[in-house]
Amino acid sequence: MNDRDDSRLTRREFLAASLAAPGIFLLRDAFGAARELEATPGCGDADDVTPPQTAGPFYKPISPERRSLLEPGLKGSRIVLEGYVRSTKCQPVPRALLDFWHADASGAYDNAGYSLRGHQFTDDKGRYRLETIVPGIYPGRTRHFHVRVQAPNRPVLTTQLYFPNEPQNKSDWIFNPKLVIALRDSAAVKAAAFDFVLDLG
Ligand code: FE
């Protein structure tokens, strides 16, 4: 869209590459470094607010409270997504509500029950952690998570998160490079990071 967005995408791609580099074994250290890279240019920058996106047709209220969406028999590649909810003034947001929902490995949503749906609250440092599987792709869309994020007594931010290096990102009409997760790919459990930034005035 503009030069700024391009540079941000490049930084995220660099970040993804560094996370994939051999020799990074400690998840916590890897993400500590990731956040340092991300936070310095973005913190306090109003342009860094996490952009909203459509909820799509598959949101269901009253999801179960849980940090892991894994269930016996669930097919797919495991992924752990972690990060912070913070304000544009760099303040962590404790007790922020995050409500995730996404497609299963075959690209289907559970509209009858609550499989691959769950909400949680950030801890006192503003952190969240979601354990789930990599969503499958369905026709017309690239790979994505859906999420609603809400600081206590504040409006809901509805948005989506995307995966780096997905061929369908280029053709997805609502894909936004600001919403791409940092991803450390591995055969066992994929590790991903994304920080949500809310404009709390
Ligand atoms: Fe969707």
Side-chain angles (χ1 to χ4, degrees):
M1 192 156 70
N2 57 37
D3 289 342
R4 183 179 171 75
D5 285 343
D6 289 341
S7 67
R8 194 176 295 275
L9 177 60
T10 302
R11 192 166 65 246
R12 286 193 189 280
E13 286 173 341
F14 169 78
L15 179 58
S18 66
L19 286 173
I24 300 176
F25 298 108
L26 293 175
L27 207 59
R28 193 62 59 186
D29 285 350
F31 285 132
R35 276 191 271 277
E36 255 178 56
L37 278 175
E38 277 298 292
T40 305
C43 212
D45 182 349
D47 290 346
D48 212 40
V49 172
T50 303
Q53 294 220 303
T54 175
F58 301 121
Y59 172 69
K60 280 179 71 173
I62 324 177
S63 69
E65 181 174 355
R66 52 184 177 176
R67 291 175 182 268
S68 174
L69 307 184
L70 301 179
E71 295 173 12
L74 187 66
K75 294 194 174 93
S77 301
R78 286 178 59 197
I79 184 169
V80 174
L81 172 65
E82 292 183 287
Y84 288 85
V85 176
R86 63 173 175 82
S87 72
T88 50
K89 293 176 179 162
C90 312
Q91 297 299 309
V93 182
R95 296 294 297 165
L97 169 67
L98 296 110
D99 195 355
F100 291 96
W101 72 103
H102 66 86
D104 67 13
S106 68
Y109 288 84
D110 179 7
N111 297 311
Y114 287 91
S115 178
L116 300 174
R117 301 172 184 271
H119 74 270
Q120 60 179 281
F121 296 90
T122 52
D123 66 13
D124 56 4
K125 293 190 170 75
R127 288 184 305 210
Y128 73 93
R129 183 180 196 274
L130 177 72
E131 188 170 12
T132 186
I133 57 150
V134 174
I137 293 179
Y138 55 91
R141 292 301 319 276
T142 190
R143 200 180 306 280
H144 62 280
F145 291 111
H146 292 272
V147 61
R148 286 161 54 102
V149 187
Q150 185 176 27
N153 304 311
R154 296 296 189 129
V156 173
L157 168 73
T158 302
T159 193
Q160 302 185 29
L161 300 181
Y162 298 98
F163 284 71
N165 305 317
E166 287 285 340
Q168 290 88 345
N169 286 350
K170 293 189 180 74
S171 55
D172 189 305
W173 63 285
I174 62 167
F175 169 78
N176 185 332
K178 287 186 175 181
L179 295 168
V180 174
I181 58 176
L183 183 65
R184 184 170 69 101
D185 219 340
S186 83
V189 180
K190 297 175 197 306
F194 188 86
D195 291 349
F196 295 93
V197 181
L198 306 179
D199 184 2
L200 301 178

